[in-house]
Amino acid sequence: MKKLINNPADVLAESLRGVALAHPELSVDHETQVITRATPKAQGKVAVVSGGGSGHEPLHGGYVGVGMLDAAVAGEVFTSPTPDRVQAATKAVDRGAGVLHIVKNYTGDVLNFEMAAELAAMEGIDVGTVIVDDDVAVQDSLYTAGRRGVGLTVLLEKLVGAAAEEGQDLAAVVELAQRIVGQGRSMGMALTSCTVPAAGKPTFDLPDDQMEIGIGIHGEPGRHREPLAPASEIARQLVEPILADLDAAGPAIVMLNGMGGSPLIELYLMYGEVVPLLEKAGVQIARNLVGDYITSLDMAGCSLTVLKADDELLRLWDAPVNTPGLRWGV
Amino acid sequence: MKKLINNPADVLAESLRGVALAHPELSVDHETQVITRATPKAQGKVAVVSGGGSGHEPLHGGYVGVGMLDAAVAGEVFTSPTPDRVQAATKAVDRGAGVLHIVKNYTGDVLNFEMAAELAAMEGIDVGTVIVDDDVAVQDSLYTAGRRGVGLTVLLEKLVGAAAEEGQDLAAVVELAQRIVGQGRSMGMALTSCTVPAAGKPTFDLPDDQMEIGIGIHGEPGRHREPLAPASEIARQLVEPILADLDAAGPAIVMLNGMGGSPLIELYLMYGEVVPLLEKAGVQIARNLVGDYITSLDMAGCSLTVLKADDELLRLWDAPVNTPGLRWGV
C-alpha cells in the first residue's frame, strides 16, 4: 500500500487536523469528527447536515460553508458515523427552524441517521430526511437495500443548501430535496480498485486489461466487468443506463466526476465524450462540473450524474456558495 | 496502461474539446491549442500568458480567466509548445500594454518562449519574461539547466494576474514576478510513477516498498530513493530542503499540492504534518492551498511550496479570481 499516511488507524483523525489548519472558516470537533461553519448561519433558518463514511473527499466536509452544508459528520473510511455523532452535529447547527439530513442510501447510514433524528426529536428539534438513491447501476448492492446514493448528493447539497440559505422553511426544503432525488441519476465505472488504509490492500482485484462498469463508491461490485475500452465506449456505457431510467430531455445540470485516481486531463476528455451523447438525446446542459467531487479514495475511474433542471433549480445553482469544494458568487 | 482515453495520440486534442464544452467563459483554439478568455480584458492592460507541456492540469489552461491568465498554450503531454503557438497566443491577447510570459524553467520551454517573444517583438508587441525555477530538489536535471519550475508557478500566476488586472504596467508586473520567484521554493516526492499516454507504460520503475524524494513533475529523477516512510517523515523531507534554501520566517503563502493520483484525504493529512514543522521555523501561514493544482498525470505523491509574503502579496492574493482551477471573490 502506497499512501501519504502514518498509522492506518489514524488517517481520518489526522486528515481532519489538516482540514482544521487549512480552513479557519470551518470548525472541526475532533472528538465527534463533525465539521461545522465557524460562523453559524442566522437564527431562524433551516440547517443542512450530511455525512457518512470518509474516503469520498471533498464530500462531505469540503461542502460545509455558506450556501451549502451547515455540518458534515465524518465516519471512519467507508464506515457510517454513529448516531450520537450525527445527533451532536444536528444539535450544534439547529437554528430553531429544523434540520435537513441528507443521507446516501447505504443501510448503515440510513439506520444511524434515522436514530439520530429520533434522538434529536426528543430534544425538540424538527428533522427532515432525504435519502439519495441515484445510482442506476444496480437495484440492490452489498451495503444497500435499493439503489446506492452517489454523485447526485453533491448537486443536492448545493441546491438544498441554497434554498435553506435564502430562508425556505423545512417543509419546502424537504420537498425540494425529494424533487431533486426524483429527477437525478448517476452511473460510474472503475479502472482500478481503491485501497482502504486499514485493509492495506486493494478492495478487489481488477486485472490490467479489465474495467468494472457500474462500480460503487466503496469499490462494491457493479454490473459487470469487461475488457478495457476506449473513452467513447465507456461514455456510452455511462450515458445509456441513465437515459434508460430518466427521461432527461430538456435542461440539465451534468457532473463528470473523478473517482480520485484519474487525472483532470482524462476527466475533460471523458466530458467531451459524454456531451454529444447527451445532446443527441435532447439533454440541454445548462450547468456542469468536471473534476473530483465525490471520490473513492485512490480509485481510477469516473462517474456521470445527470439532473433535470428548471429555472428554479438553475437559480439555486447560481446562488453564492463558499466552501472548500465548491465556490462561486462570493 | 489504464486510462480514460481513446487513441493515445489524441489525448490533448480531445481533452481540450471537453474543456471547451465545460467552460463557455473560455475560448479554445483547437488549431493552435491555445486557451484564452472568451471576453478579453480591457484595452491598455498587461496580458499574462503561460504554457508548457500538458499533463499538469489544472495548470495552465485551468488558470485562464479574470484575475489570472489571459492565455495558456498547451503543448502535447510533457512537450513544450512550439514558438509559433506561443506567438499566436501572445498576439491574440495583447491589449496594447505588453505581455508577460510566465515560463517554467525547462530548456524546451525557455527556448520556445524566447523565440516567440522575438517574433512578437518584430510585430511591435512588448514582451516581458519571468522564468520560474523554484524546485530546490536538484540543481540541474534531465530537462533543465538550473532548477526546475514547479508549484510556485501556480501562486505566481495568481499574484501577477491580479497585478495585471488592476492595471500595473509591464515593468511593474515583471518586477513583481521576479520578486516572487526570488522568495518562493518548492520540493516534491512521488509514491508512484506517472504514465505518459503515448509511452503506454510508467516513466520509471518504483518498487512497491520505495518512494522518490525530490521528484520532478515529469517523473524525472529527484534526489534519491528510499523505503516508504510515514507522512511525518515525508513532511520533514519536504520542509527541510526548502528551509535550508529560503529564510522563510514571517508571513507566507503555502501550497500542499497533489501530483494527480493521491486523494484529498491524504493531502490534508500531509498538510497537517507540514504546518507544525513550518511554524516551528517561524513561518506564519497567512494563506494556503491544499489539493491538485499542478499535477503529473496520474502520479501519486505531493509537493510543498512556500512563498514569503507581505501585505502587498496578500492583497493581490485576495483579489478576485475567476478560473476553473481557482475562484474567489466573484
Side-chain angles (χ1 to χ4, degrees), chain A residues 26 35 57-65 68 72 323-326, chain B residues 264 268:
Chain A
L26 301 180
I35 300 174
E57 292 69 24
L59 186 93
H60 299 271
Y63 299 135
V64 175
M68 216 160 162
T323 73
L326 276 189
Chain B
L264 201 50
Y268 275 115

Side-chain angles (χ1 to χ4, degrees), chain A:
Chain A
M1 173 174 58
K2 290 191 146 183
K3 289 187 182 291
L4 301 166
I5 63 172
N6 295 301
N7 184 341
D10 300 331
V11 169
L12 174 60
E14 293 181 356
S15 186
L16 287 175
R17 204 170 66 188
V19 169
L21 288 167
H23 301 293
E25 74 278 16
L26 301 180
S27 175
V28 179
D29 183 326
H30 295 284
E31 173 111 14
T32 58
Q33 303 187 315
V34 170
I35 300 174
T36 54
R37 307 181 190 182
T39 306
K41 66 175 25 153
Q43 194 67 22
K45 288 188 177 182
V46 171
V48 184
V49 174
S50 193
S54 294
H56 308 301
E57 292 69 24
L59 186 93
H60 299 271
Y63 299 135
V64 175
V66 175
M68 216 160 162
L69 299 181
D70 292 271
V73 194
E76 289 296 327
V77 172
F78 295 175
T79 302
S80 186
T82 53
D84 56 310
R85 294 178 178 208
V86 178
Q87 182 206 10
T90 304
K91 198 171 167 180
V93 300
D94 175 45
R95 308 298 284 157
V99 179
L100 176 71
H101 282 177
I102 298 175
V103 186
K104 302 192 299 304
N105 189 35
Y106 299 94
T107 306
D109 287 342
V110 171
L111 289 174
N112 289 351
F113 272 81
E114 193 174 289
M115 202 173 301
E118 286 167 16
L119 292 168
M122 286 193 267
E123 302 197 53
I125 301 171
D126 271 351
V127 176
T129 299
V130 61
I131 310 280
V132 188
D133 61 349
D134 54 314
D135 188 345
V136 300
V138 292
Q139 183 49 42
D140 298 301
S141 83
L142 212 51
Y143 310 115
T144 322
R147 288 174 166 180
R148 300 174 298 212
V150 289
L152 184 63
T153 315
V154 177
L155 310 189
L156 188 141
E157 291 180 358
K158 165 65 184 89
L159 295 164
V160 163
E165 209 74 46
E166 70 180 24
Q168 295 191 26
D169 68 19
L170 185 59
V173 169
V174 169
E175 192 187 315
L176 172 69
Q178 304 290 12
R179 185 158 75 86
I180 292 166
V181 169
Q183 59 199 53
R185 299 288 188 278
S186 298
M187 178 80 183
M189 60 78 59
L191 294 172
T192 68
S193 174
C194 50
T195 297
V196 176
K201 59 184 179 54
T203 303
F204 57 93
D205 289 318
L206 193 52
D208 279 351
D209 59 349
Q210 300 273 308
M211 60 181 182
E212 174 124 3
I213 301 293
I215 195 80
I217 56 171
H218 311 94
E220 65 270 37
R223 285 190 172 188
H224 68 278
R225 289 181 180 189
E226 61 175 66
L228 284 179
S232 58
E233 169 61 16
I234 294 171
R236 192 185 63 75
Q237 295 211 37
L238 297 181
V239 169
E240 282 183 359
I242 290 175
L243 295 181
D245 200 79
L246 180 74
D247 175 10
I253 301 172
V254 170
M255 177 172 73
L256 193 291
N257 170 66
M259 291 294 193
S262 282
L264 200 49
I265 192 170
E266 296 178 29
L267 301 180
Y268 276 114
L269 189 152
M270 280 301 304
Y271 186 69
E273 293 292 342
V274 302
V275 168
L277 299 177
L278 290 171
E279 288 182 342
K280 206 170 140 192
V283 179
Q284 298 149 14
I285 306 178
R287 303 291 185 276
N288 71 82
L289 293 177
V290 179
D292 285 1
Y293 292 98
I294 170 172
T295 58
S296 303
L297 295 168
D298 51 353
M299 183 187 284
C302 67
S303 67
L304 176 67
T305 298
V306 178
L307 169 63
K308 284 172 73 86
D310 53 24
D311 288 349
E312 171 64 1
L313 291 191
L314 295 180
R315 186 183 68 76
L316 293 169
W317 185 257
D318 292 340
V321 60
N322 192 5
T323 73
L326 276 189
R327 181 181 291 122
W328 57 71
V330 288

